């Protein structure tokens, strides 16, 4: 059973950082990747700098070197290349940002069901520690987007993102098809397949790394922050969670959302949003490959 720390006060990320003990994994001079989604231009639900800057400052005070980071998107747009991606981050209030170029990645062996190795940006692999700062929300393919998706889809380079999305249909051209190395993929795969692949990429992103996770259940939009717009939240702001276990923290977030009254009148809100998506696949599969456990103890941090 993993410990998941919780505060209802959405302005106390720094206090939760300390209460959960995350500072204990940070050493002086560590290069610390703060994995975040900067939000597509036009989207207003993304995680704002004022929510997370206190965590950045806490890490700096420990003598470490934090930076906000993400990898470029597969789909066309301003976040598909490093120059424009950095501009989006700046426009949304973020400084101390690093976005790796497409060829700045490491091939990480994982030897799992879908992938023998995964393509992970060196913003993850060359850092000493990773802290995923995640805006918890809905998602049309994975049901919800939490820490696992932030790690997996987020740290995969564009080639990796393609691999996670695509599904070969076994057509007659399959033996000679080059779609697996171009952007003309047979995509998107089934929700279950994509979720499992994302979990495998998350496994590769954090392999042999010091890691911690902070999820913000705020502005819980029905869709991903990749959209250039967003609908109203499905529940009121609930709070912030912190853990050393990405599976446990995502499970706890789902449970808290489902227990909270909101405009979606269901005790399985993400399934109500996306009836054809079983969001639990990512949690079950991530647990099965050793990424974490779905069993957790929710601890009021007192923050």
């Amino acid at each position: 059973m993993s410990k998941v720390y919780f505060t209802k006060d959405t302005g106390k990320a720094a206090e939760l950082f300390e209460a959960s003990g995350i500072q204990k994994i940070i050493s002086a001079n560590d290069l610390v990747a703060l994995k975040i989604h900067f939000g597509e231009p036009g989207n207003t639900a993304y995680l704002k700098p004022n929510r997370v800057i206190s965590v950045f400052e806490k890490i700096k005070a420990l003598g470490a070197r934090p930076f906000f980071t993400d990898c470029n998107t597969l789909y066309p747009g301003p976040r598909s290349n490093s120059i424009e991606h950095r501009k989006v981050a700046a426009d949304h209030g973020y400084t101390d940002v690093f976005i790796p170029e497409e060829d700045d990645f490491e091939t990480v062996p994982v030897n799992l069901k879908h992938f023998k190795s995964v393509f992970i940006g060196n913003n993850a692999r060359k850092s000493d520690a990773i802290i995923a700062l995640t805006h918890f929300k809905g998602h049309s393919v994975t049901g919800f987007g939490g820490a696992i998706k932030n790690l997996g889809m987020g740290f995969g380079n564009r080639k990796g993102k393609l691999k996670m999305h695509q599904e070969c249909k076994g057509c007659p051209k399959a033996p000679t098809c080059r779609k697996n190395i171009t952007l003309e993929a047979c995509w998107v795969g089934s929700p279950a397949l994509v979720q499992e692949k994302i979990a495998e990429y998350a496994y590769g992103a954090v392999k042999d790394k010091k890691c911690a996770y902070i999820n913000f259940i705020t502005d819980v939009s029905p869709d991903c922050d990749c959209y250039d717009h967003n609908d109203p939240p499905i529940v009121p702001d609930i709070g912030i969670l912190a853990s050393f276990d990405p599976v446990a923290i995502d499970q706890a977030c789902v449970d808290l959302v489902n227990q909270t009254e909101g405009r979606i009148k269901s005790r399985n809100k993400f399934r109500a949003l996306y009836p054809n998506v079983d969001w639990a696949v990512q949690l079950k599969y991530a647990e099965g490959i050793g990424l974490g456990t779905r069993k957790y103890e929710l601890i009021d941090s007192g923050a």
Side-chain angles (χ1 to χ4, degrees):
M1 184 175 292
S2 292
K3 294 181 178 179
V4 178
Y5 292 82
F6 172 67
T7 177
K8 292 181 179 180
D9 192 329
T10 58
K12 289 192 173 180
E15 290 83 351
L16 187 66
F17 175 92
E18 290 194 339
S20 60
I22 295 176
Q23 71 276 7
K24 295 176 183 177
I25 70 169
I26 306 297
S27 301
N29 296 314
D30 272 359
L31 197 60
V32 183
L34 300 179
K35 174 62 184 71
I36 200 162
H37 190 311
F38 296 110
E40 196 72 12
N43 188 290
T44 62
Y46 67 92
L47 197 51
K48 310 300 189 300
N50 67 303
R51 300 256 195 218
V52 298
I53 193 62
S54 61
V55 173
F56 180 93
E57 295 298 337
K58 282 285 185 184
I59 295 169
K60 280 187 69 176
L62 293 169
R65 298 169 293 162
F67 62 96
F68 294 105
T69 192
D70 199 1
C71 286
N72 292 326
T73 62
L74 176 62
Y75 58 84
R79 295 172 52 246
S80 64
N81 66 85
S82 298
I83 293 174
E84 288 185 278
H85 200 161
R86 285 193 295 269
K87 184 179 184 302
V88 170
D91 289 346
H92 286 177
Y94 283 93
T95 58
D96 298 282
V97 170
F98 172 65
I99 309 291
E101 299 293 341
E102 178 60 15
D103 59 356
D104 186 14
F105 72 95
E106 181 179 328
T107 302
V108 181
V110 292
N111 295 312
L112 295 168
K113 182 171 73 172
H114 301 292
F115 300 116
K116 297 303 179 186
S117 58
V118 293
F119 309 116
I120 303 296
N122 272 328
N123 48 348
R125 297 309 301 168
K126 288 188 176 179
S127 62
D128 298 296
I130 296 168
I131 298 177
L133 303 172
T134 302
H135 171 221
F136 194 81
K137 67 277 183 187
H139 194 278
S140 60
V141 178
T142 59
F144 70 83
I148 296 170
K149 185 174 183 294
N150 192 13
L151 292 173
M153 190 61 72
F155 271 131
N157 72 349
R158 295 187 79 223
K159 183 177 180 180
K161 287 178 170 65
L162 175 63
K163 294 289 188 182
M164 282 181 272
H165 280 102
Q166 71 185 159
E167 180 177 11
C168 178
K169 303 297 185 181
C171 71
K173 294 182 180 181
T176 57
C177 182
R178 291 181 57 82
K179 289 180 180 179
N180 63 329
I181 58 171
T182 73
L183 295 184
E184 299 173 6
C186 293
W187 67 307
V188 174
S190 69
L193 177 66
V194 175
Q195 288 180 66
E196 289 185 357
K197 288 183 171 185
I198 288 172
E200 292 190 5
Y201 260 74
Y203 181 95
V206 302
K207 184 180 179 181
D208 303 322
K209 292 290 179 184
K210 299 185 293 184
C211 300
Y213 311 92
I214 303 176
N215 283 12
F216 293 75
I217 316 180
T218 57
D219 301 306
V220 185
S221 52
D223 289 307
C224 181
D225 298 338
C226 295
Y227 287 91
D228 61 2
H229 60 277
N230 54 272
D231 287 339
I234 64 172
V235 291
D237 288 354
I238 294 173
I240 315 173
L241 283 72
S243 182
F244 294 104
D245 185 329
V247 182
I249 197 171
D250 278 358
Q251 181 69 66
C253 285
V254 171
D255 292 343
L256 286 170
V257 168
N258 283 337
Q259 294 162 12
T260 301
E261 293 299 326
R263 66 183 185 88
I264 305 295
K265 305 301 180 184
S266 171
R267 288 298 179 182
N268 192 342
K269 292 180 174 58
F270 297 112
R271 198 62 186 264
L273 279 171
Y274 303 107
N276 297 322
V277 179
D278 180 4
W279 51 262
V281 169
Q282 60 184 295
L283 298 172
K284 294 174 184 176
Y285 190 77
E287 183 177 48
I289 63 176
L291 198 56
T293 176
R294 297 178 70 182
K295 297 178 181 178
Y296 65 91
E297 177 189 2
L298 191 64
I299 300 169
D300 190 330
S301 69

